[in-house]
Amino acid sequence: MLQSLPRRVRIVEVGPRDGLQNEGRAISTADKVRFIDLLSEAGFEMIEATSFVHPKAVPQLADGAEVLGTILKRPGVRYPVLVPNGRGMERALAAGAREVAVFTAATESFNRRNINATIEESLGNIAEVVRLARAEGVWVRGYVSTVFGCPYQGAVAPEAVLHVAERLLELGVDELSLGDTIGVATPRVVEAVLAPAAERFGVDRVGLHFHDTRGTALANTLLALQMGYQIFDSSAGGLGGCPFALGAAGNLATEDLLYFLNGLGIETGVNLETVISASGFIEDQVGHPLTSKVYQAVRSQEGERCSWLLAPGS
Ligand code: HMG
Ligand code: MG
């Protein structure tokens, strides 16, 4: 069964945005830049750098323009930034963004709390962002949140997800990312969404954004891999969550995902040890222990490290 897995996977590192947006302690611009620069050295093809949402909604990322303008943009790496509307897009373009990520949800109540808009209104804002993006040749990613469960509405009908996903693709987004915002998904629920999604949209332009709140993210990842999906979001050290989704702590940790993919012999181009160094740097800045299991295991063996744990394909 494992023979049919994809040979290569693209990991989208979202720690600098999805991770840091959830942190209470103010992180300096210089430290955010350093974190991203360390991640750039790890070999990711895509690192979500920051967001251009209302600075009062997410004060931690109010310095998005300085961050994006200062990081060392490594050739071959794309640095999308999260934008909610035309105003955010103008700010992102002025800061030099060449890739952006828009976002809406599969459920009305979450969308209202997150961006103060109905799904339809947010799609209107996204249409404006995509129009501006097209005019400037900017690449667009489209997140759908609360795909597998909503903190306010509970279970979500797969049809509701497929409808929003289809609308985003019709508007012209280049890639989707389907989010388990509060980390409630289990493989059965994942299959109920991803099987029809694969039929309707294919697997090449659909990413998965699992949160590991309840420890199910890697089981869900394996199922998605078996279905042919090849794009996975994760966050260095397991930083993150969403400040507008109660109980959303814990993106799937990049180290845990990488260790898992390495063990399956799936290429990513990302160096686990370099990610662990980046996480070690940001752990000191956020001031609390990081949740990634692989990160913790490796750090606890510092000095007599099991180097074979880090080797691809081990
Ligand atoms: P609003 O108050 O409804 O905005 O907020 P508005 O359109 O009524 O405008 C009010 C004022 O804000 C205006 O200024 C606008 O210009 C200004 P005024 O005319 O009063 O002087 N404004 C802005 N200023 C700067 N940047 C902007 C911007 N937009 C409007 N972009 C809004 C609506 C969407 C702006 C707000 O609710 C917001 O910023 N929310 C952000 C929420 C957020 O960042 N959530 C976390 C990210 S989503 C996530 O984490 C999930 C994900 O990871 C996937 C998953 O896990 O599921 C992606
Ligand atoms: Mg998220």
Side-chain angles (χ1 to χ4, degrees):
M1 223 149 103
L2 294 180
Q3 286 91 317
S4 60
L5 300 181
R7 209 178 50 79
R8 192 177 170 89
V9 150
R10 164 154 56 87
I11 298 181
V12 179
E13 169 57 52
V14 297
R17 193 280 302 172
D18 203 359
L20 295 186
Q21 74 179 10
N22 213 40
E23 292 298 331
R25 187 198 269 191
I27 315 289
S28 73
T29 304
D31 287 341
K32 289 173 194 162
V33 168
R34 176 93 185 113
F35 181 41
I36 296 170
D37 287 348
L38 288 168
L39 290 168
S40 291
E41 287 170 21
F44 294 101
E45 290 171 49
M46 194 173 282
I47 301 172
E48 198 169 272
T50 184
S51 71
F52 289 87
V53 300
H54 198 294
K56 281 198 182 133
V58 183
Q60 180 69 266
L61 301 185
D63 59 354
E66 284 157 273
V67 169
L68 190 66
T70 314
I71 54 172
L72 295 170
K73 300 206 179 78
R74 208 178 167 94
V77 184
R78 292 183 284 170
Y79 298 92
V81 296
L82 193 76
V83 298
N85 51 20
R87 174 79 193 104
M89 184 62 174
E90 286 164 11
R91 291 175 54 215
L93 289 174
R98 300 303 303 152
E99 296 88 12
V100 296
V102 293
F103 56 112
T104 183
T107 57
E108 293 289 357
S109 47
F110 175 77
N111 216 43
R112 172 62 64 195
R113 282 184 172 78
N114 195 27
I115 48 174
N116 191 29
T118 63
I119 294 171
E120 203 52 46
E121 285 164 351
S122 64
L123 290 170
N125 289 331
I126 288 169
E128 190 187 344
V129 172
V130 174
R131 220 172 18 249
L132 291 166
R134 285 287 156 269
E136 301 288 334
V138 165
W139 184 87
V140 186
R141 188 161 214 252
Y143 283 106
V144 185
S145 288
T146 59
V147 163
F148 307 103
C150 172
Y152 311 109
Q153 284 175 233
V156 178
E159 195 44 50
V161 176
L162 298 175
H163 173 71
V164 174
E166 190 144 59
R167 292 286 304 280
L168 284 172
L169 290 171
E170 281 166 7
L171 288 177
V173 308
D174 296 288
E175 177 173 300
L176 293 171
S177 175
L178 303 181
D180 184 18
T181 313
I182 53 168
V184 286
T186 54
R188 187 186 292 274
V189 183
V190 170
E191 187 179 30
V193 175
L194 295 195
E199 256 180 51
R200 263 155 85 167
F201 316 128
V203 292
D204 293 347
R205 52 182 180 158
V206 181
L208 285 321
H209 181 105
F210 291 124
H211 283 233
D212 204 25
T213 320
R214 292 166 184 77
T216 55
L218 286 179
N220 296 331
T221 299
L222 181 58
L223 183 78
L225 287 167
Q226 286 171 323
M227 298 173 84
Y229 288 89
Q230 297 157 30
I231 306 165
F232 293 89
D233 301 357
S234 63
S235 171
L239 281 171
C242 174
F244 303 92
L246 205 65
N251 279 77
L252 169 57
T254 304
E255 291 90 334
D256 300 356
L257 176 62
L258 253 180
Y259 179 78
F260 186 70
L261 294 173
N262 286 348
L264 289 169
I266 297 175
E267 288 169 30
T268 60
V270 181
N271 183 282
L272 178 51
E273 219 161 341
T274 314
V275 178
I276 288 170
S277 301
S279 293
F281 170 77
I282 205 66
E283 184 175 47
D284 292 340
Q285 319 312 320
V286 298
H288 62 78
L290 299 181
T291 56
S292 162
K293 289 195 164 44
V294 170
Y295 174 81
Q296 288 172 3
V298 171
R299 296 293 274 206
S300 69
Q301 290 157 1
E302 203 84 65
E304 47 162 319
R305 198 178 267 191
C306 304
S307 58
W308 56 269
L309 280 175
L310 301 168
S314 60

